[in-house]
Amino acid sequence: MAMNRLCFFATTSIGVEDVAAEEVRSLIGSDVKLEVGRVSFKGGVGDIYVLNLKARTLHKVYIQLVKADFKTLDDIYRVARSLDYTWIIDGDQSFAIRSERIGGHCFTSMDVSRVVGQAVIDSYQEATGRRLRVDLEQPDVEIYCLVRNYSLLMGVNTTGESLHKRGYRVYDHPAALKPTIAAAMLKISGWRPGESLLDPMCGGATIPIEAALMARGVMPSKFRSSFAFLKLKICDLQEFKAVRDKLLMEENCSFNPEIYAMDKLQKHLSGGVKNAEEAGVKDAIKFKIGDATKPEEYPNGFFSHIIVNPPYGLRAHPKEGVGRLYEEFLKALKAKNPGSTLTIITAASKRFREAAEKTNITIMERRKIMHGDLPAEIFTCKI
Ligand SMILES: C[S@@+](CC[C@H](N)C(=O)[O-])C[C@H]1O[C@@H](n2cnc3c(N)ncnc32)[C@H](O)[C@@H]1O
């Protein structure tokens, strides 16, 4: 196995694959192909450390084992059985297969896990004479299988739990945004760390925290203690530590960005402050209680970028109320901050488009995105 040219795929939210691809390109300099909810590229073992530590928009990074077409479950067994696993799993390590299945089949994802698991055991036993252990709870090596219609994709998880679990969220807002989506919004908005930014409905402050980490060049995964690659036999703990130490040196914690966060509820604002403290960027964000529909309650000054994740009206408010909130919010922005760029994510797209029309605000760009299981849209507007 040529370790300097491994094939990888990495998952992200559906709708921001282009943003994730651009990020991978800039981090490791590889050509990147876009697929649904993931990107694929080539790289070396060192790129596993860099991507897991530095990527802001990726969820999990996998070493691709195979991508093949199949017709039956037996074909899946044959494809998986033909692969060599000795370079990635040690004889005394345990493994698990995690499968996902999309499309109509006469078998379940559990069937896929079962036959692929058997194929891994059989292939390994033939090559080494040793029978690998299965551990579904805490495997040393996790192999992912995606069956989409008649295509099979297999990969080794180098990340473990998704990278959107940054490790700084001590206050869990009931409608929190995934940090990876917040980071994608920051990139989509065109905001640069030298420019001013306000999240006027900040909740647990995910957007301002991601902005502050970006502005100071802080690794988003700095607060995570575990990565699946630490157990992979091709990875080297000393090399990983060296990469991590080098990345720590790139932080610029004396940089003071112009980042503001506001919420009308003290409970959420205090939660946001706690999260920012945990992320080590409390001093980089100015927090203020205030109502985003009232221009006089905004912090002083002009903000070149407003980036926000408002209520969608799905839980507490009926949709009608959310339409009014959006309209009043846009009116307040026009009064307080004309000339700024607004980047907003909402699942109540129609309500937002109506509010923009009523307030004469032009939508410059829109894209559909999956916010977890919820179809949402990101809009970019000039105020
Ligand atoms: C979807 S949540 C934001 C979640 C946040 N992005 C996070 O990751 O934790 C929306 C927030 O908007 C706040 N909000 C609702 N109406 C507001 C208003 N008129 N002015 C300011 N904040 C408001 C709510 O209190 C809530 O915290």
Side-chain angles (χ1 to χ4, degrees):
M1 185 60 56
M3 299 297 174
N4 56 345
R5 242 28 214 160
L6 296 164
C7 290
F8 290 99
F9 60 91
T11 51
T12 186
S13 294
I14 293 179
V16 291
E17 295 87 348
D18 58 328
V19 181
E22 187 45 46
E23 183 174 41
V24 172
R25 240 176 252 128
S26 74
L27 288 177
I28 66 166
S30 287
D31 284 343
V32 186
K33 225 175 100 198
L34 272 65
E35 288 159 69
V36 181
R38 62 175 195 268
V39 293
S40 58
F41 48 93
K42 291 193 169 132
V45 172
D47 295 327
I48 296 174
Y49 316 134
V50 173
L51 290 171
N52 276 294
L53 287 169
K54 277 195 95 178
R56 299 179 194 276
T57 62
L58 301 182
H59 289 159
K60 293 185 185 180
V61 180
Y62 295 90
I63 300 167
Q64 184 170 314
L65 293 175
V66 75
K67 196 174 176 188
D69 290 337
F70 70 92
K71 287 202 180 87
T72 65
L73 196 57
D74 285 347
D75 293 341
I76 292 183
Y77 173 83
R78 273 190 286 276
V79 171
R81 173 74 170 80
S82 70
L83 302 177
D84 171 26
Y85 301 93
T86 57
W87 62 278
I88 198 89
I89 314 180
D90 246 339
D92 56 4
Q93 285 187 309
S94 62
F95 80 102
I97 309 290
R98 311 266 188 237
S99 301
E100 245 187 301
R101 194 185 55 80
I102 299 161
H105 303 98
C106 57
F107 52 81
T108 65
S109 56
M110 272 161 73
D111 293 328
V112 176
S113 297
R114 182 177 45 79
V115 300
V116 173
Q118 193 58 55
V120 172
I121 289 171
D122 294 348
S123 161
Y124 207 90
Q125 195 150 27
E126 186 180 69
T128 66
R130 299 184 73 169
R131 186 182 166 87
L132 284 176
R133 252 180 326 119
V134 173
D135 182 343
L136 299 181
E137 298 301 316
Q138 285 188 309
D140 294 320
V141 180
E142 183 190 299
I143 297 176
Y144 169 69
C145 296
L146 172 66
V147 169
R148 185 188 288 271
N149 300 321
Y150 289 95
S151 160
L152 167 72
L153 176 68
M154 283 177 63
V156 175
N157 184 355
T158 73
T159 303
E161 247 199 330
S162 171
L163 292 172
H164 80 266
K165 303 240 163 128
R166 300 285 204 236
Y168 61 64
R169 194 173 268 168
V170 285
Y171 173 69
D172 211 356
H173 188 286
L177 187 66
K178 273 193 176 148
T180 41
I181 295 183
M185 288 176 73
L186 287 160
K187 291 182 192 236
I188 290 164
S189 74
W191 171 75
R192 294 277 167 273
E195 296 174 316
S196 53
L197 181 158
L198 165 69
D199 177 352
M201 301 191 226
C202 70
T206 312
I207 295 169
I209 291 171
E210 288 297 313
L213 294 174
M214 220 180 257
R216 289 184 167 175
V218 177
M219 294 177 273
S221 296
K222 181 178 172 178
F223 317 97
R224 280 174 62 114
S225 51
S226 83
F227 293 100
F229 64 72
L230 291 169
K231 289 202 172 157
L232 295 182
K233 64 189 279 192
I234 58 166
C235 292
D236 182 294
L237 187 62
Q238 292 317 315
E239 267 175 45
F240 161 62
K241 282 187 176 157
V243 171
R244 195 173 187 279
D245 289 348
K246 188 169 161 279
L247 294 177
L248 282 172
M249 304 275 285
E250 289 173 11
E251 287 182 4
N252 180 4
C253 288
S254 58
F255 179 61
N256 278 319
E258 286 279 290
I259 301 173
Y260 293 78
M262 180 168 91
D263 201 285
K264 70 172 185 182
L265 295 183
Q266 183 61 53
K267 181 174 96 171
H268 297 323
L269 201 77
S270 305
V273 172
K274 280 199 190 107
N275 287 341
E277 203 162 19
E278 191 71 17
V281 289
K282 189 180 144 211
D283 65 318
I285 304 169
K286 293 156 197 80
F287 288 89
K288 182 185 185 304
I289 275 282
D291 186 330
T293 65
K294 297 187 177 143
E296 66 279 11
E297 296 196 2
Y298 279 59
N300 291 331
F302 171 77
F303 310 99
S304 63
H305 289 270
I306 309 288
I307 307 187
V308 66
N309 163 220
Y312 302 161
L314 298 177
R315 292 184 173 91
H317 314 264
K319 285 208 172 176
E320 205 42 59
V322 132
R324 204 158 46 240
L325 168 68
Y326 291 178
E327 199 180 320
E328 284 168 13
F329 167 52
L330 292 178
K331 273 191 203 149
L333 279 187
K334 278 187 103 166
K336 161 71 188 151
N337 222 39
S340 61
T341 303
L342 166 69
T343 306
I344 180 166
I345 181 168
T346 178
S349 305
K350 188 161 169 276
R351 296 289 176 219
F352 180 72
R353 278 186 281 116
E354 287 165 357
E357 206 174 302
K358 280 190 195 154
T359 50
N360 266 327
I361 284 174
T362 313
I363 294 169
M364 297 188 297
E365 201 198 307
R366 54 188 281 201
R367 63 163 74 208
K368 292 194 183 335
I369 176 166
M370 288 304 288
H371 182 192
D373 290 335
L374 202 60
E377 274 192 78
I378 297 175
F379 295 94
T380 311
C381 310
K382 199 84 196 159
I383 300 299

